[in-house]
């Protein structure tokens, strides 16, 4: 199986695409890169205003030096994003590839990242959280099954889910995305992603498929349900540190109310919340074959497909090896 980020593919794509912004334009738009919106492992994002487009607000992602050295990485991100079009994906408006300057220009998301919203002081209500989960799932389904080239995101986490002015969830950061040609179903490569959201197969020399995103979505869904990070070392009870383990224990012991401390709205909808926990447990099964597709996940979230009782996520994989 081959990784579809082949040199020939990207060079063909590069030849058809022209940079839409000059460096000086973006330098001026960002007031010399004054206001930083966020920083990741390979890029820094700045707020900008396009004077040429009626003062349109944008987010300018400037790739760091180690990424700038690789045309392959930059072209991979551009080629993957520019062919996508979905309400739950952040829209790419253009890019700059001028000398050592490589930048991507995105639509501006006024409500920032899901991480700051979910774990901040002003937490989203239960209805908003359910809509965010469903929107994220729909965006992933589009990447996996509906766009021209199948894309595996490989780094699904709250920091990569952005919220517009109406709190619509939009998936961002395709820098780690894997492009798979239509005749491919899986790829093997080095570990990508963020600790705690990375599927077990990355560490077990197993094929990497869209199911790695399903696993990450399951962890993300638990965070959305509980408004709590995947790992919290500040809790008094060490059994509650790892959210996925604690959530499964609460589910099995019929004590889901413990996950919803100070969240009366969710308590009033405990049945639906239980269903969402069950869906998350199916998504984080260590055996990838037991995880649902994103299409199946959406059907369960929408209630069009019944959610069956999930097995212990860890035990199911161990049993399959015996």
């Amino acid at each position: 199986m081959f990784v579809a980020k082949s040199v020939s593919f990207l060079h063909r794509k590069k030849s058809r695409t022209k940079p839409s912004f000059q460096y000086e334009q973006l330098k001026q738009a960002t007031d010399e890169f004054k206001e930083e919106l966020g920083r990741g492992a390979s890029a820094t994002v700045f707020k900008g205003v396009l004077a040429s487009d009626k003062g349109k607000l944008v987010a300018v992602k400037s790739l760091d030096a180690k990424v700038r050295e690789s045309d392959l990485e930059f072209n991979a991100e551009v080629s993957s994003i520019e062919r996508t079009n979905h309400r739950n994906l952040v829209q790419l408006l253009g890019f700059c590839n001028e000398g050592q300057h490589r930048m991507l220009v995105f639509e501006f998301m006024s409500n920032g990242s899901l991480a700051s919203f979910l774990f901040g002081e002003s937490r989203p209500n239960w209805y908003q959280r359910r809509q965010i989960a469903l929107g994220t799932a729909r965006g992933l389904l589009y990447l996996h099954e509906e766009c021209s080239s199948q894309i595996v995101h490989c780094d699904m986490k709250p920091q990569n889910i952005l919220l517009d002015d109406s709190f619509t969830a939009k998936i961002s950061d395709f820098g780690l995305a894997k492009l798979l040609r239509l005749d491919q179903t899986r790829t093997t490569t080095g570990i990508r992603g963020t600790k705690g959201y990375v599927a077990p197969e990355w560490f077990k020399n197993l094929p990497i498929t869209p199911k790695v995103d399903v696993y990450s979505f399951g962890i993300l869904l638990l965070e959305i349900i509980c408004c709590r990070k995947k790992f919290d070392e500040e809790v008094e009870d060490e059994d509650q540190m790892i959210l996925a383990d604690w959530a499964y224990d609460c589910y099995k012991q019929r004590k889901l109310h413990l996950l919803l401390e100070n969240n009366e709205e969710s308590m009033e909808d405990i049945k639906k919340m239980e269903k969402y926990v069950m869906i998350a447990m199916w998504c984080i099964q260590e055996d990838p074959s037991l995880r649902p597709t994103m299409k199946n996940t959406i059907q369960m979230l929408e209630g069009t497909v019944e959610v069956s009782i999930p097995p212990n996520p860890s035990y199911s994989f161990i049993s399959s090896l015996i």
Side-chain angles (χ1 to χ4, degrees), residues 35-89:
E35 185 175 349
E36 184 177 315
L37 295 175
R39 182 182 294 267
S42 60
T44 305
V45 183
F46 301 93
K47 184 176 181 179
V49 180
L50 295 180
S52 59
D53 192 5
K54 300 179 181 179
K56 183 182 182 70
L57 291 176
V58 293
V60 179
K61 180 178 180 180
S62 177
L63 302 189
D64 293 343
K66 60 182 179 180
V67 181
R68 291 182 195 136
E69 296 173 359
S70 173
D71 277 334
L72 198 64
E73 287 296 325
F74 179 75
N75 289 332
E77 182 155 2
V78 172
S79 64
S80 65
I81 300 174
E82 68 180 355
R83 297 194 310 275
T84 61
N85 182 23
H86 191 274
R87 75 184 302 267
N88 295 115
L89 301 181

Side-chain angles (χ1 to χ4, degrees), residues 40-42 61 136 140 143-144 151-161 171-178 191-199 202 212-214 216-217 220 230:
S42 60
K61 180 178 180 180
T136 302
L140 276 177
L143 292 176
H144 291 175
I151 298 174
V152 183
H153 189 284
C154 296
D155 198 21
M156 289 300 303
K157 57 184 178 180
Q159 291 80 0
N160 286 338
I161 307 298
I171 299 173
S172 70
D173 197 349
F174 293 85
L176 298 179
K178 310 304 296 178
I191 295 175
R192 297 188 176 218
T194 300
K195 186 178 180 180
Y197 300 94
V198 178
W202 284 107
V212 300
D213 285 346
V214 176
S216 301
F217 177 79
L220 175 66
K230 64 186 184 302

